[in-house]
Amino acid sequence: MLAALLFGGSMGPPMIYMERRGRLPQHIYLDYSIANFISAIMFPLTLGQIGASKPGMPNFFTQLSQVHDNWPSVLIAMAGGLALSLGNVVSQYAWAFVGLSVTNIVTCSLIVVIGTTMNYFLDGRINRAEILFPGAACFLIAVFLAAAVHSSNAKDKEEKIGTMATKLRIFICIHDSSMFLSDSAPGKNDARMDDKASSQAKPGSAEFILQVEKSRSIKVLGSNWLLGLGLVFFAGLCFSVFSPALNLATNDQLHVLKKGVPHLVVYTAFFYFSVSGLVLGIGVNIWFLYRPVAGVPASTIGAYLRDWNGRHWALLGGLLCGLCNGLQFMGGQAAGFASADAVQAIPLVSTFWDVLLFGEYRRSSRKTYTLLTSMLTMFVIAVAVLLSSAGHRKTS
């Protein structure tokens, strides 16, 4: 679970890094989808094939040939993959509008509040309810704190840019007055001054914010902060059902399989889960190539194939996501999907990257820092409580 936590918290930064350098999100996500699928099928092709088939637990290839019997569970697993992929598509835009840390806090908290509650009942209540549900309540509090952090940080950025604009107007007035009294030629000194200011922009400063906005492919400056939170909450709702779907697919709590048909092993369910996610991810982003959203420029399949700028970063993000999901599902099958949702502590990792790599929250107000600290503290408490509720699944 620790490995899943590190992989999940590190999947977003490579993709955000390339978007901030101007690579189109459609190109990024197509690369991501392919790498995610490749890493996902590593689990069934290796661990899913270890050992001979048993009467109640066939190996991966044996179970693939039984699709005419287990197709109801296959459809449930594929529905979970569609939900996860749709959430990931929305998240790549939410990261731009809201930021990596707030997006992950809200989406992961919704996964726990909704998904963990569903998994608790699906798992036959093997987790300790007196601990599990207070932990879910802590995650819910973290959601509201994350919304407050985003609102406060957005106001801080507006104030920085407003202050910069005021200083610029004063400078222009003084500069114009000096030009009236001086014979020196304009333009050359101005350009040199602009280049110097650009090269010395510090993370968190107004100049830094404007530089990022100028170079990135998704333009977000001046947008309504409620739009960003709306994207985040929609992504969180999509994410909250993928783990219960895989739980249903592997344990058949709804009794959709005929008597005597083996349940899907976690590796087979994960394979079908990944196939449907790949189809939706590629299909939606090919559509976005020709019908872009959020002011992103249009593109073509040919332009995508020729675009090798930072492709390795997008592939890395997909690889990390596939490894995270696979390890989480393995842990869920062993100790209960409810407690395995503790891997949603990935915002603790992603916030570190957000501050270190992207300069988020640098030079912010004391209010923003206080809210950020409170949000992360509540999240740590919630994860610790959730882990302590772990149970053990009966194999009989």
Side-chain angles (χ1 to χ4, degrees), residues 56-96:
M57 189 179 294
N59 63 27
F60 174 60
F61 284 115
T62 300
Q63 197 158 59
L64 283 183
S65 66
Q66 300 171 346
V67 68
H68 56 281
D69 294 323
N70 56 32
W71 63 266
S73 292
V74 169
L75 292 180
I76 294 174
M78 295 182 76
L82 292 175
L84 176 64
S85 185
L86 181 59
N88 282 333
V89 169
V90 176
S91 287
Q92 65 178 339
Y93 294 93
W95 285 333

Side-chain angles (χ1 to χ4, degrees), residues 129-296:
E130 67 276 12
I131 299 178
L132 179 69
F133 288 108
C138 291
F139 276 102
L140 186 60
I141 295 172
V143 170
F144 292 107
L145 288 173
V149 169
H150 173 58
S151 176
S152 179
N153 195 42
K155 291 179 181 178
D156 290 345
K157 290 181 178 179
E158 291 176 0
E159 291 178 0
K160 291 174 186 176
I161 295 173
T163 301
M164 178 184 176
T166 301
K167 291 180 178 179
L168 184 60
R169 284 194 294 268
I170 294 174
F171 169 78
I172 291 174
C173 291
I174 296 175
H175 182 71
D176 288 345
S177 300
S178 63
M179 283 294 299
F180 187 75
L181 300 174
S182 171
D183 293 331
S184 61
K188 187 178 296 185
N189 292 334
D190 295 350
R192 192 179 298 117
M193 187 176 298
D194 290 340
D195 291 341
K196 184 178 180 181
S198 175
S199 63
Q200 294 180 349
K202 297 180 179 180
S205 65
E207 294 86 354
F208 180 81
I209 295 171
L210 293 175
Q211 284 179 27
V212 171
E213 181 69 13
K214 183 179 179 180
S215 63
R216 75 186 317 160
S217 58
I218 304 176
K219 306 299 183 183
V220 300
L221 197 61
S223 61
N224 191 333
W225 66 273
L226 288 175
L227 171 62
L229 285 181
L231 292 173
V232 172
F233 275 95
F234 180 78
L237 292 175
C238 293
F239 289 148
S240 65
V241 299
F242 80 83
S243 178
L246 203 89
N247 193 349
L248 284 169
T250 54
N251 297 299
D252 193 31
Q253 293 92 337
L254 297 180
H255 307 291
V256 296
L257 298 178
K258 295 180 181 180
K259 187 175 182 180
V261 176
H263 295 174
L264 291 183
V265 296
V266 68
Y267 306 108
T268 309
F270 187 36
F271 170 76
Y272 287 116
F273 176 95
S274 303
V275 168
S276 64
L278 174 70
V279 172
L280 186 140
I282 289 182
V284 169
N285 279 278
I286 288 179
W287 172 266
F288 282 170
L289 287 176
Y290 300 93
R291 297 287 187 274
V293 296
V296 176

